[in-house]
Amino acid sequence: MAKKVILDVDPGLDDAVAMCIALFDPRLEVVAVTAVGGNVPPHLATRNVQAIIEQLDPPRWPRIGAASPPDHGLPVDGRFMHGIDGLGGCNFEVAELRTPHPSEKLICDEVRAAPESVSFVALGPLTNLARAFQRDPELPHVIDRVVMMGGAVSGPGNITPAAEFNIFCDPESARAVFRSPSTKTLIPLDVTNRIMFSFDLLNQLPDESRRVGSFLRKILPPAFRAYRQEFGLEGIHLHDTVALTALLEPQWFETKEMGGDVETMGELTMGATVFDRRRRPAWRQNMEVAFDIDAPQVIEAIIRNLNAAGEIKA
Ligand code: BDR
Ligand code: CA
């Protein structure tokens, strides 16, 4: 039976690639895609979710949740990497802008509708999930598993020297989710950074005649340009797509139980994730953390899953 899942995204190019897989994968039933501000401001995140779903036109359309600003506003956004509209500057049309329910309400409704059966894949800041947990304090016990892309265990951050982007955008919410009694898996930057796609990826995608192929061929070239301009790299990371793969194909990830928390006040370390890695850890273990990855297998899985998405008739 397909696993029910809520995708929480701030599209964002790597969020969009993850959506290409999730919306067509027969192993998943995406009951909702909830937008969150991060790579782009909240209203644009909501618009992008709708635009991506319209572009892809999957066989089963998920419900859409609308993003609202985090309590302290967004300290940064990711448009320097993801383009002015968050989708490589493609400016996709949205046929009819609906007024969807707030993301946190949709999360509560969908999880309550199928207790202990809905997994949550968090590919942006943790604003929505923290709010859902605040709204319904029993929810952490009723949600099946939370898989999150974010943080760093032993490596540097990517938006400050200490902090990873998703956590830095809303550290208070990240802390609330980390401390919640939900079952969690974290896919940190240390692991997602190990996967890099070269330009040859474009030759391995479904062709233009497929909606997924045509969409990816529009959004990925700007991603390669941004990585070259910003970092001098001839390849791209797809952090969120790697995290989604951890839900679909956990056999390629090695994880261990750890105690982790988030720095919410540091002058230099705001948004840094801190794990108790002492010889004798004293913090309670509160999540499973990926520390190793079979990189060739994950690359192969992503390409295979994108091609499978191209095969499915919308
Ligand atoms: C994360 O930050 C965002 O820019 C990406 O979409 C990803 O979720 C990587 O640090
Ligand atoms: Ca993201």
Side-chain angles (χ1 to χ4, degrees):
M1 208 174 73
K3 192 193 283 285
K4 287 187 195 302
V5 67
I6 297 173
L7 278 188
D8 192 70
V9 292
D10 61 331
L13 296 165
D14 53 339
D15 302 79
V17 179
M19 284 175 68
C20 289
I21 293 176
L23 290 171
F24 293 91
D25 197 303
R27 292 167 290 183
L28 300 181
E29 178 191 347
V30 181
V31 293
V33 180
T34 49
V36 62
N39 286 321
V40 289
H43 69 279
L44 199 46
T46 309
R47 191 182 192 280
N48 285 351
V49 166
Q50 204 178 315
I52 295 165
I53 293 171
E54 284 180 10
Q55 287 292 314
L56 299 177
D57 189 20
R60 188 179 182 283
W61 280 43
R63 299 179 74 191
I64 295 176
S68 45
D71 293 349
H72 303 294
L74 268 184
V76 283
D77 67 41
R79 287 185 280 191
F80 64 104
M81 287 303 296
H82 297 263
I84 186 73
D85 60 350
L87 294 175
C90 294
N91 281 316
F92 294 110
E93 293 287 317
V94 169
E96 175 207 344
L97 250 193
R98 302 163 202 187
T99 28
H101 288 299
S103 289
E104 63 267 27
K105 177 175 187 314
L106 204 53
I107 293 166
C108 293
D109 291 351
E110 288 297 333
V111 172
R112 281 290 181 183
E116 289 164 34
S117 317
V118 180
S119 293
F120 188 88
V121 181
L123 304 180
L126 289 159
T127 314
N128 291 336
L129 191 58
R131 285 195 177 143
F133 285 172
Q134 205 172 24
R135 195 181 165 113
D136 180 350
E138 284 303 306
L139 208 69
H141 299 287
V142 189
I143 203 160
D144 181 37
R145 175 172 286 278
V146 178
V147 177
M148 317 171 268
M149 189 284 130
V153 177
S154 55
N158 61 355
I159 189 71
T160 74
E164 180 278 331
F165 181 86
N166 287 340
I167 308 291
F168 183 76
C169 281
D170 188 352
E172 281 84 7
S173 292
R175 169 175 275 196
V177 171
F178 275 30
R179 291 184 174 186
S180 74
S182 54
T183 307
K184 300 176 277 295
T185 304
L186 184 76
I187 313 298
L189 212 50
D190 320 49
V191 162
T192 60
N193 268 340
R194 302 251 315 271
I195 305 282
M196 179 153 268
F197 289 94
S198 70
F199 205 72
D200 188 45
L201 171 64
L202 294 174
N203 300 322
Q204 301 177 61
L205 295 175
D207 64 40
E208 280 282 350
S209 68
R210 309 288 169 162
R211 278 178 172 264
V212 166
S214 146
F215 176 70
L216 289 172
R217 280 160 210 285
K218 290 188 183 109
I219 66 162
L220 286 176
F224 283 99
R225 276 198 293 280
Y227 269 81
R228 188 180 307 124
Q229 272 163 20
E230 285 293 321
F231 307 124
L233 289 174
E234 294 299 329
I236 58 170
H237 294 302
L238 293 174
H239 305 282
D240 294 338
T241 318
V242 173
L244 175 74
T245 308
L247 177 77
L248 287 169
E249 308 193 17
Q251 68 271 27
W252 312 130
F253 294 76
E254 280 199 66
T255 61
K256 61 180 168 210
E257 293 292 330
M258 297 184 87
D261 208 335
V262 176
E263 178 56 78
T264 57
M265 292 195 307
E267 197 183 331
L268 301 174
T269 55
M270 169 84 108
T273 45
V274 181
F275 292 86
D276 190 353
R277 297 191 292 141
R278 288 172 287 184
R279 207 177 287 271
R280 270 186 182 216
W283 288 2
R284 192 180 56 78
Q285 295 174 340
N286 57 354
M287 68 185 88
E288 185 182 86
V289 182
F291 67 93
D292 202 4
I293 186 171
D294 187 330
Q297 290 287 2
V298 171
I299 290 178
E300 210 179 295
I302 289 173
I303 294 172
R304 185 178 57 242
N305 292 332
L306 287 171
N307 278 283
E311 286 305 308
I312 291 174
K313 221 172 143 13

